[in-house]
Amino acid sequence: MSFIAIIPARLASSRLPNKPLADIAGKPMVVRTAERALASGASAIMVATDHADIVAACEAHGVPVRMTRSDHPSGTDRIAEVAASMQLPADAVVVNVQGDEPLIDPALIGATAALVNAQVPMATAAHPLHDVAEVFNPNVVKVVLDKSGRALYFSRATIPWHRDAFAASREQLPAGYTPLRHIGLYAYRNDFLQQYPQLDISPLEQIEALEQLRVLWHGYPIAVHVTQASPAPGVDTLEDLERVRRIFSGK
């Protein structure tokens, strides 16, 4: 399965300034993430950024990089611009690897890319939830699937809602109940990726603040790769960054 990995990296970050350039064991975070993407078996990788400092950091470490417009509303729009500039064919598979995922499992990237085909223009990933606090946490996005492994819905709510068990108690998860946590990794057919920014924003994505609901709203299927392993955490805060640094340093 041939695919391209594009890593969107925006310098501005409200919680961690200059996050893509944060040092992790001698290399910027965006470079560490690009190295994981390359290890996935991608035929090519590319960082998509809006800032010259990120371009310089990537070039210093031999990582392919392209500048984009600075006004993109999302990382998806940013990678769509880069994919267009690369003149990729319509059936090329493009994976959006978030730039703040220096510990992402390369195998997860490849497995998600493998689900994209002519009938299913987009894929993502999920893993089972076993912690009751996470199941009821609105910051943990859940997804429910149909029998073919395609997404029925994404929500911050607890879905599917176990009516009888939760009526009795919400202190523990009932036996056999394994909701799925959505993992923010996306793969697209290039022709759909180019179409995506033109799709109207949906009411559902505005209510839930979940961009992927736009795809379901417009009737396009999303395949979901389910991994049993909980993914390594990304970097959103200084505490996250220090934890990742300790992992890389072996402490």
Side-chain angles (χ1 to χ4, degrees), residues 22 31 42 47 60 67 71 85 90 92 108-109 119 131-132 146 159 163 175 197 208 210 216 248:
V31 171
V47 171
M67 282 284 288
D71 60 347
S85 73
L108 183 63
I109 299 171
Q119 289 72 44
D131 185 302
V132 68
D146 67 11
I159 55 172
R163 186 193 66 172
E208 296 257 22
L210 296 175
L216 298 183
F248 270 88

Side-chain angles (χ1 to χ4, degrees), residues 27-225:
K27 294 181 180 179
M29 184 190 313
V30 67
V31 171
R32 291 292 184 188
T33 303
E35 290 174 342
R36 303 291 279 187
L38 185 60
S40 69
S43 59
I45 64 167
M46 183 71 67
V47 171
T49 186
D50 63 349
H51 203 282
D53 288 354
I54 295 177
V55 171
C58 289
E59 290 179 343
H61 292 275
V63 174
V65 60
R66 293 198 182 190
M67 282 284 288
T68 69
R69 297 182 354 231
S70 61
D71 60 347
H72 284 303
S74 73
T76 307
D77 296 272
R78 195 175 306 282
I79 71 166
E81 178 189 339
V82 168
S85 73
M86 295 173 71
Q87 298 183 319
L88 300 176
D91 62 352
V93 176
V94 178
V95 183
N96 180 349
V97 180
Q98 302 296 329
D100 56 4
E101 297 279 353
L103 295 174
I104 190 168
D105 180 3
L108 183 63
I109 299 171
T112 302
L115 296 181
V116 176
N117 55 52
Q119 289 72 44
V120 184
M122 180 174 170
T124 188
H127 72 92
L129 279 171
H130 303 290
D131 185 302
V132 68
E134 291 189 329
V135 170
F136 290 101
N137 183 350
N139 294 318
V140 174
V141 177
K142 275 72 70 172
V143 59
V144 290
L145 311 182
D146 67 11
K147 66 178 183 179
S148 300
R150 298 177 183 179
L152 287 169
Y153 192 65
F154 298 86
S155 184
R156 298 181 182 278
T158 304
I159 55 172
W161 182 262
H162 202 302
R163 186 193 66 172
D164 295 340
F166 292 155
S169 172
R170 300 183 194 176
E171 299 300 315
Q172 61 184 15
L173 299 181
Y177 174 75
T178 52
L180 295 173
R181 179 179 191 164
H182 177 233
I183 300 170
L185 175 71
Y186 299 102
Y188 309 85
R189 259 181 66 110
N190 185 42
D191 51 2
F192 179 72
L193 177 61
Q194 299 307 318
Q195 182 183 358
Y196 176 87
Q198 313 306 320
L199 296 176
D200 291 336
I201 295 173
S202 75
L204 292 177
E205 74 174 290
Q206 291 179 311
I207 292 169
E208 296 257 22
L210 296 175
E211 181 186 351
Q212 63 271 31
L213 288 173
R214 185 184 314 179
V215 178
L216 298 183
W217 172 264
H218 286 280
Y220 295 97
I222 302 175
V224 181
H225 170 71

